[in-house]
């Protein structure tokens, strides 16, 4: 009798807990729809549902919701965690039998217990009742994976459906076998959208729109981080959220890093967190040690590391958390890693002329304004720039019609989680109205559609319009007559006019005339368009921009553009002085420009540039430093505690790598690089 009372009490408690959690469950429409469709077990094509996503994204909560739905529909839901039983077929079977007994008070054990008997008994039991077996933390089932797939699932009756949840996507035979691919439905859980975040925070009493947007920006819609942020304080303000940033990210990091059993990976994770995107060679350059393929594979197999456009990238939340933690604990190491990264991408940019390397170089310069604006985390990778031609010109007309019919001021916030700062873009109603008076679709025709693009997403929806005018003999007259550009191009001296007057199939530079968006608050679209300006820096010409907006003026100065005072104009109105800027990256000027940007870095950073440029060892760098101090071989040997003959051998190798014949040439070569 006492046992029954305990069962009733436990059941009441379970009902209470499920009721509360159901009230807090939001979103996941696609996942719930799929589950409802399979509760009748009529679709024999799918035997397994696999849900995956990073830690804290809500996999366990979704399984709990499936459990509640199953109970309502009279389906037995057996939920287990792979960490709760020995990773053997016997351990798995014993756990299943215990769950059945606990949930149904049915005894399935027998004196002739065996795996065959277990499977037979399970099938008999399932002939009377629909069953769902749900396994959480499936990433810990590696040792049992083959048996589970080939023996257990293959012998299940049609009345048993299997759900698995893990941090990693399925691999191996799950995806290599056409049969298992057809039997398995795989769904990745994503972070919450702004709308889902708003619904989630409503349960915590957060209804201020600015606070909701701030928490969404801070958490990226990651459910666990949202929960931690919502629990920071009873008084929900942006200030209290910012005060708790370090603690929230520290706790998040600790939870995520639980999956990293190999402690030797921690230093590699630290280095990888500094990169917007990384590969094997960039990590090798930062750590000054060769990263073997097995170690790199272990890193990229972590659930919070995923393939990105130019290599691999970390989930932005854990990336920022690890960076902040490293900056607090080891500021010197943090600075050294960043300097080496900038040096690495400087060398790659000069050598390969890759836009991705150029972008990474600016990322590692460490300017938070540039990072926040050009490297937004919510960028939709499906966006693309579509060249404008006759076939889609009607979309340009439609874009301008929309903008002219919907005049409003433009506001956008670029949030930086590391600094808890937002960079505010603002364009007044008057500015936007005037812009639509100064430019329309006829401008695109005047430049013969050249380098005008529509920004679109995978649904073919137009998100923005970019007009970057190539400078040559065909466009020079247009630029000299049209508002905004005429302030500079109508005043060209004879030499500049001659240099700009290249044939139409060539470009002497670029005039960035127009970047505009269907939704002025869409920071992801803005960042995508701005990020795609990096290739202009590698075209070997001059880049000219004219703007009255302080946001862009500050950004241009951060990039090292120079003002042209005589080209200031008032085309946007007498209260809006427009400054004109120029950046010259022709020939050797590109290398000099990039070196100027690193001028604020330390002497050590300059030596990192030398080290990376010539593939010097750390010992060779030490010797180069002492040579620059005009020390002889004997003095160098004494300072480094090595034999003088060893110093001579090192210097011979250094001369060969740097392609010089003597110390004087070496010093000159170094100064050419770092001056």
């Amino acid at each position: 009798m006492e046992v029954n009372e305990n069962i009733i009490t436990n059941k009441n408690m379970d009902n209470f807990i499920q009721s509360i959690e159901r009230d807090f469950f939001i979103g996941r429409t696609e996942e719930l729809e799929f589950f409802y469709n399979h509760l009748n077990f009529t679709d024999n094509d799918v035997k397994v549902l696999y849900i995956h996503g990073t830690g804290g994204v809500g996999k366990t909560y979704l399984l709990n919701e499936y459990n509640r739905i199953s109970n309502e529909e009279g389906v037995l839901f057996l939920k287990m965690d792979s960490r709760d039983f020995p990773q053997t077929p016997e351990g798995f079977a014993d756990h299943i039998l215990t769950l059945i007994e606990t949930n149904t008070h049915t005894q399935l054990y027998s004196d002739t217990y065996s795996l065959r008997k277990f499977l037979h008994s399970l099938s008999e039991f399932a002939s009377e009742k629909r069953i769902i077996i749900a396994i959480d933390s499936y990433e810990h089932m590696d040792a049992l994976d083959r048996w589970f797939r080939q023996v257990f699932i293959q012998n299940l009756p049609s009345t048993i459906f299997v759900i698995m949840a893990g941090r990693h996507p399925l691999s191996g035979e799950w995806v290599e076998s056409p049969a298992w691919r057809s039997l398995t439905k795989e769904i990745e859980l994503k972070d919450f959208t702004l709308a889902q975040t708003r619904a989630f925070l409503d349960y915590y009493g957060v209804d201020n729109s600015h606070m909701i947007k701030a928490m969404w920006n801070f958490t990226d819609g990651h459910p666990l981080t949202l929960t931690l942020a919502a629990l920071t304080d009873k008084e929900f303000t942006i200030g209290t959220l910012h005060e708790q940033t370090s603690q929230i990210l520290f706790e998040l990091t600790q939870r995520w890093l639980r999956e990293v059993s190999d402690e030797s990976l921690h230093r590699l994770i630290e280095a990888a967190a500094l990169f917007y995107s990384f590969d094997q060679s960039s990590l090798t350059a930062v750590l000054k040690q060769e990263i073997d393929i097995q170690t790199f594979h272990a890193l990229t197999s972590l659930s919070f590391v995923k393939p990105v456009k130019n290599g691999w990238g970390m989930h932005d939340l854990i990336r920022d958390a690890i960076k902040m933690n490293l900056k607090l604990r080891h500021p010197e190491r943090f600075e050294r890693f960043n300097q080496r990264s900038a040096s690495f991408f400087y060398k790659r940019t000069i050598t390969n002329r890759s836009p991705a390397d150029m972008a990474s170089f600016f990322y590692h310069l460490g300017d938070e304004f540039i990072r926040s604006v050009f490297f937004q985390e919510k960028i939709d990778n499906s966006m693309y720039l579509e060249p404008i031609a006759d076939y889609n010109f009607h979309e340009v007309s439609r874009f301008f019609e929309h903008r002219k019919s919907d005049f409003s001021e433009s506001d956008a916030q670029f949030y930086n989680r590391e600094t808890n700062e937002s960079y505010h873009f603002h364009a007044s109603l008057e500015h936007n109205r005037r812009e639509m008076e100064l430019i329309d679709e006829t401008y695109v025709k005047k430049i013969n559609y050249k380098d005008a693009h529509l920004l679109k997403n995978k649904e073919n929806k137009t998100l923005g319009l970019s007009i970057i005018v190539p400078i040559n003999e065909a466009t020079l007259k247009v630029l000299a007559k049209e508002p905004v550009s005429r302030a500079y191009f109508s005043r060209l001296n004879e030499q500049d006019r001659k240099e700009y007057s290249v044939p139409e199939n060539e470009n002497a530079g670029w005039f960035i005339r127009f970047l505009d968006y269907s939704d002025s608050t869409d920071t992801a679209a803005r960042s995508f368009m701005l990020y795609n300006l990096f290739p202009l820096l590698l075209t070997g010409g001059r880049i000219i921009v004219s703007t009255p907006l302080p946001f862009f003026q500050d950004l241009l100065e951060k990039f090292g553009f120079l003002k042209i005072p005589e080209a200031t104009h008032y085309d946007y109105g007498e209260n809006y002085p427009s400054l004109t800027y120029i950046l010259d990256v022709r020939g050797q000027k590109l290398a000099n420009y990039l070196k100027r940007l690193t001028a604020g870095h330390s002497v050590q950073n300059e030596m990192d540039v030398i080290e990376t440029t010539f593939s010097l060892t750390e010992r060779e760098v030490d010797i180069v430093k002492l040579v620059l101090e005009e020390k002889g071989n004997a003095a160098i040997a004494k300072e480094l505690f090595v034999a003088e003959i060893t110093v001579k051998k090192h210097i011979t190798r250094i001369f060969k790598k740097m392609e010089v014949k003597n110390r004087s040439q070496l010093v000159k070569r170094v100064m050419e690089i770092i001056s």
Side-chain angles (χ1 to χ4, degrees):
M1 189 67 179
E2 291 178 0
V3 174
N4 289 337
E5 288 176 356
N6 287 336
I7 291 173
I8 293 171
T9 302
N10 291 339
K11 192 67 177 176
N12 289 340
M13 178 61 74
D14 183 59
N15 289 340
F16 174 76
I17 292 173
Q18 290 202 28
S19 174
I20 296 297
E21 291 198 340
R22 161 157 281 185
D23 288 341
F24 272 77
F25 187 86
I26 63 131
R28 309 309 184 199
T29 306
E30 178 187 346
E31 294 81 4
L32 291 179
E33 182 180 350
F34 178 86
F35 185 69
Y36 274 115
N37 290 338
H38 282 71
L39 268 178
N40 56 18
F41 290 76
T42 57
D43 185 353
N44 294 322
D45 291 337
V46 177
K47 297 271 290 183
V48 178
L49 169 62
Y50 182 72
I51 301 161
H52 68 93
T54 55
V57 79
K59 300 181 294 295
T60 300
Y61 274 92
L62 181 60
L63 291 183
N64 290 342
E65 183 67 10
Y66 287 168
N67 191 356
R68 289 189 285 273
I69 295 170
S70 299
N71 290 339
E72 292 174 356
E73 298 294 327
V75 177
L76 178 60
F77 194 93
L78 303 177
K79 181 175 178 290
M80 56 203 297
D81 191 300
S82 66
R83 294 168 293 185
D84 293 341
F85 56 84
Q87 292 297 299
T88 63
E90 293 78 11
F92 178 83
D94 184 66
H95 197 65
I96 288 281
L97 293 171
T98 301
L99 288 174
I100 291 176
E101 179 181 342
T102 302
N103 284 275
T104 67
H105 313 298
T106 301
Q107 179 73 40
L108 293 184
Y109 284 104
S110 70
D111 295 335
T112 57
Y113 172 82
S114 67
L115 287 175
R116 181 174 294 179
K117 177 67 174 176
F118 158 69
L119 291 170
H120 177 72
S121 299
L122 187 60
S123 294
E124 280 192 337
F125 183 71
S127 65
E128 302 174 358
K129 193 173 185 66
R130 293 177 297 166
I131 301 174
I132 292 176
I133 296 175
I135 306 173
D136 204 354
S137 306
Y138 190 77
E139 64 269 15
H140 297 284
M141 287 264 288
D142 281 350
L144 208 55
D145 178 75
R146 190 176 187 282
W147 175 87
F148 178 71
R149 181 177 56 252
Q150 303 287 14
V151 178
F152 181 71
I153 294 180
Q154 282 195 192
N155 286 282
L156 289 179
S158 61
T159 51
I160 296 181
F161 186 65
V162 175
I163 302 176
M164 307 179 308
R167 292 192 171 193
H168 312 288
L170 288 173
S171 59
E173 194 169 350
W174 289 108
V175 294
E176 292 167 1
S177 163
W180 282 106
R181 283 202 307 272
S182 65
L183 291 170
T184 305
K185 169 71 173 178
E186 189 168 358
I187 298 177
E188 180 183 7
L189 279 195
K190 302 288 184 67
D191 294 330
F192 286 160
T193 63
L194 179 57
Q196 290 172 325
T197 298
R198 185 177 291 109
F200 179 87
L201 292 175
D202 181 59
Y203 287 105
Y204 290 90
V206 183
D207 56 7
N208 180 282
S209 60
H210 292 295
M211 184 62 190
I212 292 170
K213 187 67 178 290
M215 293 180 80
W216 184 63
N217 281 330
F218 170 70
T219 65
D220 260 1
H222 182 255
L224 173 60
T225 316
L226 268 171
T227 303
L228 296 174
L231 294 173
T232 55
D233 201 293
K234 293 181 180 179
E235 296 296 327
F236 297 104
T237 67
I238 293 176
T240 56
L241 174 63
H242 287 180
E243 290 169 8
Q244 297 293 328
T245 295
S246 298
Q247 183 57 39
I248 292 170
L249 293 181
F250 176 76
E251 184 171 343
L252 184 68
T253 305
Q254 295 302 105
R255 294 191 184 209
W256 252 331
L257 290 182
R258 287 173 190 164
E259 72 176 87
V260 186
S261 56
D262 185 354
E263 289 191 7
S264 65
L265 273 181
H266 283 211
R267 181 61 65 89
L268 192 60
I269 291 170
E270 270 186 352
L274 297 180
F275 290 87
Y276 191 68
S277 63
F278 63 85
D279 55 24
Q280 227 172 315
S281 58
S282 58
L283 291 179
T284 295
V286 167
L287 292 172
K288 299 298 181 188
Q289 65 184 58
E290 193 65 36
I291 310 298
D292 61 75
I293 187 65
Q294 291 84 2
T295 303
F296 188 75
H297 177 71
L299 171 66
T300 55
S301 297
L302 297 172
S303 70
F304 50 85
V305 177
K306 294 185 178 181
V308 294
K309 186 176 181 180
N310 298 303
W312 296 86
M314 236 179 232
H315 190 290
D316 51 274
L317 275 171
I318 194 168
R319 182 188 68 214
D320 290 348
I322 292 172
K323 282 168 64 178
M324 290 175 68
N325 194 263
L326 179 60
K327 190 185 293 187
L328 288 172
R329 290 186 299 106
H330 301 291
E332 291 183 0
R333 187 193 303 168
F334 177 83
E335 184 61 26
R336 182 167 65 252
F337 281 0
N338 254 331
Q339 290 173 355
R340 287 176 178 174
S341 302
S343 301
F344 173 78
F345 285 111
Y346 166 83
K347 169 68 183 308
R348 283 233 304 218
T349 299
I350 296 303
T351 305
N352 302 331
R353 302 294 171 120
S354 159
D357 290 336
M358 174 68 82
S360 294
F361 170 78
F362 276 96
Y363 181 83
H364 289 287
L365 284 179
D367 187 285
E368 297 301 344
F369 188 17
I370 291 176
R371 280 187 179 180
S372 303
V373 174
F374 281 78
F375 299 91
Q376 275 283 299
E377 292 143 356
K378 296 183 178 70
I379 290 179
D380 179 1
N381 290 325
S382 73
M383 287 189 284
Y384 63 97
L385 290 169
E386 180 179 281
I388 294 172
D390 288 336
Y391 79 94
N392 62 355
F393 186 75
H394 64 283
E395 296 182 66
V396 177
S397 301
R398 193 184 309 148
F399 178 86
F400 278 110
E401 287 172 9
H402 166 72
R403 295 295 287 120
K404 290 178 180 180
S405 65
D406 185 30
F407 279 125
S408 62
E409 62 181 15
S410 300
D411 274 294
Q413 297 280 349
F414 294 88
Y415 176 71
N416 186 299
R417 187 180 296 107
E418 288 183 62
T419 62
N420 273 324
E421 290 186 34
S422 289
Y423 299 93
H424 182 208
F425 167 81
H426 177 77
S428 67
L429 174 63
E430 184 179 347
H431 170 274
N432 289 344
R433 180 182 289 112
R434 180 60 179 154
E435 181 69 285
M436 289 300 100
E437 294 172 358
L438 295 175
I439 192 169
D440 57 21
E441 62 267 30
T442 61
Y443 187 93
V444 179
K445 291 181 178 179
K446 288 178 183 178
I447 61 170
N448 197 25
Y449 306 162
K450 295 290 186 180
D451 284 282
H453 293 80
L454 291 165
L455 175 63
K456 292 189 172 184
N457 61 14
K458 61 184 177 183
E459 285 82 28
N460 201 37
K461 180 182 177 182
T462 297
L463 306 177
L465 175 63
S466 165
I467 303 175
I468 301 170
V469 186
I471 307 171
N472 53 48
E473 62 182 7
T475 61
L476 205 52
K477 290 182 180 179
V478 176
L479 292 169
K481 291 180 180 179
E482 288 293 317
V484 184
S485 59
R486 63 191 175 193
Y488 172 73
F489 288 96
S490 65
R491 293 180 173 87
L492 292 178
N493 59 43
E494 194 59 38
Q495 180 62 31
D496 285 338
R497 185 175 290 104
K498 183 178 179 181
E499 291 175 356
Y500 283 133
S501 298
V502 298
E504 187 176 357
N505 61 344
E506 298 178 19
N507 299 319
W510 308 87
F511 181 72
I512 302 175
R513 174 58 187 92
F514 186 77
L515 303 174
D516 201 12
Y517 311 88
S518 301
D519 177 1
S520 66
T521 65
D522 189 348
T523 55
R526 289 183 183 275
S527 290
F528 183 88
M529 199 106 81
L530 290 169
Y531 183 92
N532 278 275
L533 295 178
F534 278 119
L536 296 184
L537 297 173
L538 298 169
T539 55
R542 284 178 277 191
I543 306 168
I544 297 93
V545 189
S546 186
T547 177
L549 301 176
F551 179 90
F552 285 126
Q553 292 173 356
D554 292 343
L555 200 57
L556 289 165
E557 290 176 19
K558 289 281 188 183
F559 269 92
F561 278 70
L562 301 177
K563 292 180 187 176
I564 310 173
E566 61 273 20
T568 299
H569 61 86
Y570 292 85
D571 289 340
Y572 289 95
E574 59 183 16
N575 296 321
Y576 297 94
S578 294
L579 303 180
T580 300
Y581 296 83
I582 188 168
L583 179 64
D584 192 344
V585 286
R586 291 176 293 174
Q588 181 61 30
K589 291 181 180 180
L590 173 63
N592 294 336
Y593 162 63
L594 298 181
K595 280 185 283 185
R596 279 201 313 274
L597 293 173
T598 61
H601 286 209
S602 64
V603 173
Q604 178 60 46
N605 184 53
E606 294 173 345
M607 294 313 300
D608 282 341
V609 173
I610 297 300
E611 179 180 1
T612 304
T613 303
F614 299 107
S615 301
L616 302 180
T617 65
E618 289 194 37
R619 175 60 77 192
E620 289 168 348
V621 170
D622 292 336
I623 291 174
V624 169
K625 287 180 183 177
L626 296 173
V627 169
L628 293 175
E629 294 174 13
E630 299 183 354
K631 292 187 177 181
N633 289 351
I636 293 173
K638 184 177 180 181
E639 184 156 340
L640 298 180
F641 301 100
V642 296
E644 189 172 346
I645 186 64
T646 302
V647 173
K648 290 180 179 178
K649 290 179 180 178
H650 277 304
I651 288 180
T652 299
R653 284 195 290 269
I654 292 168
F655 284 175
K656 185 176 181 180
K657 288 181 178 182
M658 298 182 67
E659 298 180 354
V660 297
K661 295 180 179 179
N662 53 48
R663 286 173 173 246
S664 296
Q665 290 183 3
L666 183 149
V667 172
K668 182 179 179 182
R669 190 86 170 93
V670 169
M671 297 313 293
E672 286 175 351
I673 298 294
I674 67 176
S675 59

